[in-house]
Amino acid sequence: MMNYTKAASSQAFKNKKLLFRQLFEKDSSTYTYLLADVAHPDKPALLIDPVDKTVDRDLSLVKELGLKLIYAINTHVHADHVTGTGLIKTKVPSVKSIISKASKSKADLLIEAGDKIHFGDLFLEVRATPGHTLGCVTYVTGDGSDQPQPRMAFTGDALLIRGCGRTDFQGGSAHQLYQSVHSQIFSLPKETLIYPAHDYRGFTVSTVGEETQYNPRLTKDEEMFKSIMENLNLPYPKMIDIAVPSNMVCGLQDLSVKPVDASSN
């Protein structure tokens, strides 16, 4: 009993480092995530998948909580909304934007699989999860005794709660998505929390264990999955012709920023 109590207390202490907020943009049903290391003197923070329409809300929250925003990062080039990263940079010039190198879009830092994004003493691990788009990545909280547990996976549109992103545009591939999710997300511990970029039915979080058991698409074999994806008959995204060109340049016109390849650091 004493050992259990000690372990539980230690676990609670570890989680006190991380401040976490899940935010919502209703028009595109997009989740934006705020993470910060509040045990660090600077309280460094990052935003995952910010939306242009809610930048003022997000920055106001960062200010209220006494955080220092250092990164605004995207899981992929979105087709259903304009990213808020560029707008954030105009309001807080010290913030660095991040997106995958494979997306072929512009940002201050271009990341690849295996890279780590540090904020204070915490970090996110980058996992390549293409299939919805060529440049999709999943950000996973660190694996270590000094990192929050259970781990958290920010899956973008690759894995949704009881679903997944479509694969019929932006270089999408049902084969690639199936392989990505099974090898890079379903391989995480079952208690890992799943936080997607969207939800259209009111769900906020799942786990790897739930999705490997209940996801109606990704629990099928690959051939069945490909058949499902080929027959979704989804409408053309209404924002794609505006969102994609804008998101290729950080959500704004060219900011004349020369990207840095994070993997070379």
Side-chain angles (χ1 to χ4, degrees):
M1 178 63 70
M2 289 181 64
N3 288 339
Y4 174 81
T5 304
K6 182 177 180 181
S9 176
S10 175
Q11 187 65 67
F13 173 77
K14 283 189 290 183
N15 282 319
K16 286 181 180 178
K17 287 185 177 183
L18 177 68
L19 179 145
F20 172 70
R21 296 289 186 271
Q22 182 179 38
L23 307 166
F24 188 68
E25 194 284 306
K26 60 183 178 61
D27 291 340
S28 60
S29 298
T30 299
Y31 286 123
T32 296
Y33 299 98
L34 172 64
L35 288 78
D37 182 353
V38 292
H40 190 278
D42 294 334
K43 295 186 178 180
L46 57 81
L47 284 166
I48 300 174
D49 287 334
V51 180
D52 63 343
K53 293 180 179 180
T54 47
V55 162
D56 287 341
R57 176 203 65 187
D58 298 347
L59 293 181
S60 177
L61 179 60
V62 168
K63 184 177 180 180
E64 288 172 356
L65 295 174
L67 309 176
K68 180 181 179 181
L69 186 64
I70 58 173
Y71 296 126
I73 73 182
N74 282 296
T75 53
H76 64 293
V77 173
H78 300 275
D80 52 10
H81 68 269
V82 175
T83 180
T85 53
L87 187 56
I88 288 170
K89 284 171 57 61
T90 67
K91 294 174 179 288
V92 189
S94 60
V95 170
K96 301 296 185 185
S97 58
I98 298 178
I99 199 165
S100 73
K101 188 176 182 179
S103 71
K104 302 187 184 304
S105 58
K106 295 186 179 182
D108 296 309
L109 299 171
L110 302 176
I111 46 86
E112 297 182 286
D115 288 342
K116 293 179 179 178
I117 301 170
H118 292 267
F119 55 111
D121 295 320
L122 304 178
F123 68 89
L124 296 176
E125 168 194 320
V126 179
R127 294 192 172 209
T129 49
H132 171 60
T133 73
L134 286 171
C136 286
V137 295
T138 291
Y139 299 109
V140 185
T141 53
D143 183 17
S145 60
D146 59 340
Q147 301 298 306
Q149 299 294 332
R151 299 180 76 182
M152 307 160 77
F154 300 93
T155 57
D157 288 13
L159 177 63
L160 305 178
I161 298 172
R162 308 299 193 267
C164 64
R166 62 195 293 175
T167 58
D168 59 335
F169 62 87
Q170 288 183 273
S173 163
H175 164 73
Q176 200 170 38
L177 181 58
Y178 189 89
Q179 294 297 323
S180 292
V181 172
H182 279 264
S183 66
Q184 299 301 315
I185 302 175
F186 284 176
S187 59
L188 289 163
K190 290 185 177 181
E191 66 272 17
T192 302
L193 300 169
I194 299 295
Y195 288 102
H198 303 282
D199 190 84
Y200 309 98
R201 295 178 294 169
F203 294 114
T204 57
V205 63
S206 184
T207 66
V208 167
E210 282 186 38
E211 295 306 313
T212 56
Q213 187 171 359
Y214 300 119
N215 192 293
R217 299 178 185 175
L218 287 153
T219 51
K220 306 294 191 292
D221 63 38
E222 186 176 340
E223 290 307 310
M224 179 62 74
F225 175 75
K226 289 193 288 187
S227 177
I228 291 170
M229 300 307 291
E230 288 168 3
N231 291 282
L232 291 178
N233 299 315
L234 296 172
Y236 190 71
K238 63 182 180 179
M239 279 288 292
I240 189 171
D241 293 330
I242 298 171
V244 170
S246 184
N247 292 338
M248 291 295 289
V249 290
C250 205
L252 288 175
Q253 302 325 285
D254 190 346
L255 298 175
S256 299
V257 175
K258 184 178 180 181
V260 176
D261 188 341
S263 63
S264 66
N265 291 344

